[in-house]
Amino acid sequence: MRIIEKRFLRGPNLYSATPCLMAVIDTAGVEAAPGLVARLVALLPGLSPEASARLAALTCAADAVEPVVMELQRLSGAPAAFSQTLDVARNAHARRAVCGYRTEQVAGAALNVALDLIAALQAEQAFDLPAAVAELHEIAEDYAIGTSTGAVVSAAERRGIPSLRITDEANLFQLGWGSRQKRLQATITGATNSIAVGIASDKQLTKILLDQAGCPVPAGATVTSLAEAQRVARRLDGPATIKPLDANQGKGVTTICSTPEEVERAFEHARKYSRHVIVEEYLQGRDYRVLVTGNKIAAASWRRPPCVTGDGKSTVRELVELENLNPARGEGHTNILTRIPMDALAEAILAKQGHGFDSVLPAGVSVDLRGNANLSTGGTAEDVTDLLPEETRDICIRAARTIGLDVAGIDVICQDIAQPLREQKGGIIEVNAAPGIRMHQYPSRGTPRDAGAAIVEALFGQDDGRIPTVAVTGTNGKTTTSLLIAHTARLTGQRTGVTTTEGVYIDGQRIMEGDCTGYRSARALLTSPEVDFAVLETARGGILKRGLAYDKCDVSVVLNISSDHLGLDGVDTVEELAKVKAVVAQRASRAVVLNAEDDYCVAMAQDLAADVEVLYFALDADTPVLLRHLEAGGRGVYLEDNTMVLATGARHEALVDVRQMPVSLNGCARYNIANALAATAALAASGFGNAEIADGMRSFVSDSKHNPLRSNLFDVDGVTVIVDYAHNCAAYAALAETARAMTPGRVVGVVAAPGDRRDADLVDIGRTCAAGFDELVVYETENRGRAAGSVAELLVQGARLGRIASDGLQCELDVHKAIRAGLAMCQPGDVLVFGCGSSISELTEALRPTRPEIAQRIAAEAV
């Protein structure tokens, strides 16, 4: 089997609201071999009943790809829920496998394994499934999110706070968007003070500061030599604890050192992790961890060293190996518990208790395998949060404040955490700047505490971390509508970000150039801490290639649906194009703005959630859909006697005379009036006031500097030249209507279309232009794989079908010659429309040989 196309849809997409791998598979010559299904089911007995039933009916081996990929992901430890196999329109020899995923890298590898597995079983060859699954499992672990990080991220998502993994390899996340975002790595937050982290890493400095703050700490000192260590140990009243100055997770720690020999061994062990070693008073009692988040105690746990209990038959080694088979135990921090190590330190701890790895313990006798109780070395935990006295709570919160940490793990040693620390000579032995929270989320005993949620609350309070976000889609008008919304929001003092086909803009400054209407550009804007309000132009291509960059937006706008880009990316009909655009509408959480005069837009309303408001806009105030909506108490925006009106049920408020809006070209550009109606509805849904909206509409200028290639006007010796990006039938028809409203004279079109359109579509564009313009010059722009002249030939063919006069139709493949030919057809007072333009420089370079002064003026206006 051959993969024709493969895409990772990283956000909501045409198939699902969650990430998917989409693969188009060539099915030619891959009929299912006899016995294939039986061999698949035998090799993969864990297949769901639904998958098995579907496999039983398959006739093509490609239909097995999707269920096998899903099962391989499950076996790897990264299961996903959603999947489907679809036919590919207009291609009987292809299947579209859509597989949801948790980890992109696992899904991609699982697809490759699935192809190899099916091919082997087709040929009745052996396939080493355990080895393949082991490799997938390793990939899953390499890209897995740590348990503590995952708990915080999950807590954020439950509250509706969006999360973005900043890198695939690290546990570094952005929670929230724009200026409300916070960053998180493990349990270190963006608010964690770097100086505080440095202090917490220096255990001796931590003790000094805590002692000064009145927090109980053990006596002791930091040393660099064995002689110093022996001297400090002799001065202590009892056994010593010896540990590295700046290690973590209990590395290098030895407790209960009573003799010079024990001090020496412990000192040498600690020196493996740090040049400086702490020798301090051994506090007798239990090991507790108290988690402080913000100014609250989030949880407390009694940590127990890793231990095993004898059964009278098994050796310590066998008991440890049996315990490590516990599915809750894993390597490092990948699971709820960590496997118990059997190393030299464990051997030494056992020796202190009179045992070794090969000792057979009497039934009921327990032995420890570590002197500390860290979960990272195999320990367990019991929740004791409710037992903490108020005094101990205050001490722990003061300790975190003293060090300067917003999230801190306070390690306490005492006999009984339910009693005040000072009364039992307990104390704080360490403050951790990146505390693990597995012990609180998943205690071995006691009440689980949602430590992740506590960290999220400390970060966000009651905020959801989202900035207001408006997504704009449709066939035509997206850029102008997006810029109108962004311009108005910026006038109110908000730092506004907007993505368009010309680039990404933040607070009016372009930070990325090019067609920025897809996943990457939207993510760039949402990750910027400089953005208070986001407007995302969202194009068909971006939705199909990567999905949306956001899980949901506040307001969605769908302007119109008409024929464009058909025959590309599996979208062959206007109905299918409408389904793609509807993905944006369905992600709105607050409101959707729809064109009441477009049947495809109106149909989208029935698939929206019940709590999402619909606002309609219409150029015709008597549009039936709009009238029924307003009669039912809904909101809408419409045009009446050149006035834009915002209606809320019985209340209809005039906002602005559209002739005062530069974008309307003195009321002639009805398509831009429609864009302004849509923008007004989106702004109203976003909470802007009527005066703010009117100010924005009156002050936005759609010129070559602020909105290039969107109805930019220039005067060339008395001829009005409209430069526009128009490249489909609807756009050319709208431009021709606008041009005719601007002049009693003639309207000349200089037109082209991209070469990746279907032949019939290019012919239709030519026919539309012939119907709209008095005279026509056809040129060529991006042929996109077609032979030179072939696109123009189809446009000319369509123009002739439109019955334009033969002397009014010319073909000049070169854009500069075409513009000059079009101008030669014009008299002062005429209007020339230059469509499908890619740059204002095309106009200036066309004028430069004969009208250098005009070319220079236009070039200066565009800067």
Side-chain angles (χ1 to χ4, degrees), residues 537-746:
E537 179 181 342
T538 307
R540 171 207 64 89
I543 299 170
L544 291 171
K545 288 179 172 63
R546 283 289 179 262
L548 302 180
Y550 46 91
D551 59 337
K552 60 183 179 179
C553 56
D554 292 285
V555 179
S556 292
V557 181
V558 187
L559 296 168
N560 43 64
I561 306 293
S562 63
S563 176
D564 195 20
H565 296 279
L566 299 183
L568 300 174
D569 301 308
V571 177
D572 296 298
T573 66
V574 179
E575 289 76 13
E576 290 171 345
L577 180 61
K579 289 180 181 178
V580 175
K581 303 290 186 179
V583 172
V584 176
Q586 290 161 6
R587 302 325 299 167
S589 61
R590 183 170 178 176
V592 175
V593 175
L594 298 173
N595 186 342
E597 298 171 294
D598 187 305
D599 291 342
Y600 292 107
C601 291
V602 172
M604 294 180 190
Q606 64 188 6
D607 295 323
L608 303 178
D611 58 345
V612 174
E613 180 187 10
V614 174
L615 291 86
Y616 283 112
F617 69 94
L619 286 167
D620 183 355
D622 294 325
T623 300
V625 170
L626 175 68
L627 292 176
R628 288 195 297 270
H629 182 68
L630 297 181
E631 288 170 2
R635 287 197 288 176
V637 185
Y638 61 88
L639 180 68
E640 187 168 52
D641 298 330
N642 289 315
T643 298
M644 184 187 298
V645 179
L646 172 62
T648 305
R651 187 180 180 86
H652 294 236
E653 300 176 275
L655 294 183
V656 62
D657 186 322
V658 296
R659 292 167 295 187
Q660 298 174 350
M661 303 187 315
V663 74
S664 78
L665 306 184
N666 198 34
C668 295
R670 287 178 63 81
Y671 57 90
N672 268 348
I673 296 173
N675 293 336
L677 295 172
T680 294
L683 289 161
S686 299
F688 289 87
N690 290 3
E692 293 172 329
I693 296 171
D695 286 346
M697 298 301 113
R698 290 193 191 98
S699 58
F700 177 75
V701 178
S702 182
D703 59 16
S704 56
K705 180 177 181 180
H706 299 93
N707 192 14
L709 304 177
R710 269 67 184 179
S711 301
N712 304 151
L713 296 189
F714 303 98
D715 177 47
V716 179
D717 290 336
V719 176
T720 298
V721 176
I722 305 176
V723 180
D724 198 278
Y725 182 60
H727 55 274
N728 57 49
C729 290
Y732 274 123
L735 274 175
E737 179 187 13
T738 297
R740 202 160 294 284
M742 294 172 65
T743 179
R746 291 177 304 165

Side-chain angles (χ1 to χ4, degrees), residues 137 140-152 165 171 185-187 247-251 289 303 327-341 372-379 432 434-442:
H137 185 74
E141 290 205 339
D142 286 344
Y143 291 95
I145 301 170
T147 309
S148 293
T149 308
V152 181
R165 194 173 189 177
N171 284 318
Q185 187 164 32
T187 55
N248 59 9
Q249 298 178 358
K251 295 172 184 172
R289 164 65 64 82
R303 301 190 297 180
R329 292 192 182 270
E331 295 296 335
H333 296 270
T334 60
N335 216 331
I336 296 172
L337 297 172
T338 301
R339 291 193 178 99
I340 301 171
N372 61 71
N374 295 65
L375 262 67
S376 57
T377 55
N432 298 273
I437 58 176
R438 287 187 297 167
M439 69 187 78
H440 309 303
Q441 295 278 152
Y442 313 105

